[in-house]
Amino acid sequence: MSVLRRSRGARKRRAPRVPGAVLVLLGCLPGLTAVLALALFARGVERPVGVRLGQPAADRPQPAHRAPRPRIVPRSAWMERTTATPSQPPPRYDDKVVAVFVHHTDSPNHYRCDDSPRIIRDLYAGQTGPRRWDDIGYNFLVDRCGTIYEGRAGGVERPVTGAHTQGFNHRTAGIAALGTFTAGVPVPQAMTDAIAAVAAWKLGLADVDPRSRTRLVSSNGLSRYKAGSTATLPAVAGHNDGFMTSCPGAALTARLPEIRRTAARLQGRVPAGRVPTGTPQAAHRTP
């Protein structure tokens, strides 16, 4: 009797037989779908399995105002293989970029643009040498010809935490203009256009209007705001908005409103005070 019971128990635990009709149906399905369906059948209807498939990237919600990514020269173009580099920890990241800080590098203005990699290399050496930083602080650098260079390591597409604005390095990106732009110094149009292009692209990834203001929390009492306090700053700010400094220089600071407008236009935003004809808001806004 005990042998018979064990035999019956063994038959109950035997893998279920898959009918031929089901096998024919499975043969018509894609490979992964067929495997999942076969697994569900084998487990039986009394224990359903919920299979959650990831939302296709094309169907995921995208920011409404995304600007095209400008051409960015990788850091390998200025980081020579023979350059002695300090021990560098892994990059740190934030969840997104909601503001950019514009800087100037306080270096000579009358340089040949093909000499920009050497200038950036010198900046890197100064920041990682005497200052003992682990990398260059700026996320991007722009020269007088409008060429955009990758600065700090970690990937230009990602929200890399920089070291450019004391107290406000989190959720921001630093864009440095190669040169010194104090009062009366001409700022090349190609340079301001490139700064606007980077700002439009990076802020557009989080659907931030470059003309808006954003709330940032100070992480350092040496900034203009005590540690832990919340500051409302322009989404495209000058270095001096967050730190006691004359950077990015009076001449470049004066160009920030234009840079914000250009960045907003690159994101496809409506100019301030204008609404496309036929939109419901048109009747409620001042032309």
Side-chain angles (χ1 to χ4, degrees):
M1 181 65 70
S2 60
V3 173
L4 179 60
R5 286 176 180 171
R6 282 197 298 271
S7 176
R8 288 174 178 172
R11 283 198 299 270
K12 289 180 181 179
R13 289 191 295 271
R14 187 176 302 160
R17 178 175 174 272
V18 181
V22 174
L23 291 175
V24 172
L25 176 62
L26 292 177
C28 300
L29 297 175
L32 178 58
T33 306
V35 171
L36 292 173
L38 182 58
L40 289 173
F41 184 89
R43 292 193 58 166
V45 295
E46 75 280 6
R47 298 176 69 182
V49 178
V51 179
R52 300 185 62 182
L53 300 178
Q55 191 178 12
D59 296 336
R60 292 173 187 162
Q62 297 293 330
H65 299 94
R66 295 192 69 166
R69 170 181 162 170
R71 180 178 179 273
I72 301 171
V73 179
R75 62 187 266 133
S76 58
W78 58 263
M79 176 75 77
E80 291 182 342
R81 293 173 182 255
T82 57
T83 302
T85 59
S87 176
Q88 189 167 306
R92 292 173 297 163
Y93 300 97
D94 291 302
D95 59 330
K96 57 185 174 180
V97 169
V98 299
V100 299
F101 282 96
V102 178
H103 306 253
H104 70 179
T105 56
D106 202 22
S107 52
N109 293 338
H110 302 292
Y111 54 87
R112 293 184 5 167
C113 290
D114 58 5
D115 204 26
S116 296
R118 180 196 59 78
I119 297 172
I120 298 172
R121 194 158 51 247
D122 290 345
L123 291 168
Y124 171 87
Q127 292 181 356
T128 59
R131 295 189 182 184
R132 304 181 67 83
W133 294 0
D134 58 6
D135 194 0
I136 193 168
Y138 313 114
N139 300 96
F140 303 95
L141 301 101
V142 178
D143 71 11
R144 58 193 297 269
C145 293
T147 304
I148 304 166
Y149 290 87
E150 175 186 11
R152 197 169 183 85
V156 295
E157 300 274 356
R158 303 186 65 183
V160 180
T161 306
H164 50 83
T165 306
Q166 190 157 251
F168 295 104
N169 289 311
H170 291 285
R171 308 185 96 193
T172 68
I175 307 172
L178 294 182
T180 303
F181 299 101
T182 52
V185 175
V187 183
Q189 187 66 45
M191 174 177 277
T192 58
D193 287 348
I195 293 172
V198 178
W201 171 59
K202 289 300 286 186
L203 294 176
L205 297 176
D207 205 10
V208 174
D209 189 331
R211 303 163 299 182
S212 68
R213 298 178 71 84
T214 190
R215 292 164 63 88
L216 297 171
V217 178
S218 173
S219 62
N220 193 309
L222 296 179
S223 72
R224 287 191 181 275
Y225 302 85
K226 65 180 183 180
S229 64
T230 300
T232 301
L233 301 174
V236 177
H239 186 187
N240 53 1
D241 285 314
F243 186 68
M244 287 78 72
T245 177
S246 60
C247 179
L252 187 50
T253 298
R255 301 290 295 275
L256 290 180
E258 174 194 337
I259 290 171
R260 295 178 187 118
R261 291 191 298 269
T262 302
R265 177 176 55 79
L266 291 172
Q267 288 184 350
R269 295 183 186 273
V270 178
R274 291 177 54 191
V275 177
T277 303
T279 59
Q281 295 86 353
H284 303 286
R285 294 191 182 183
T286 303

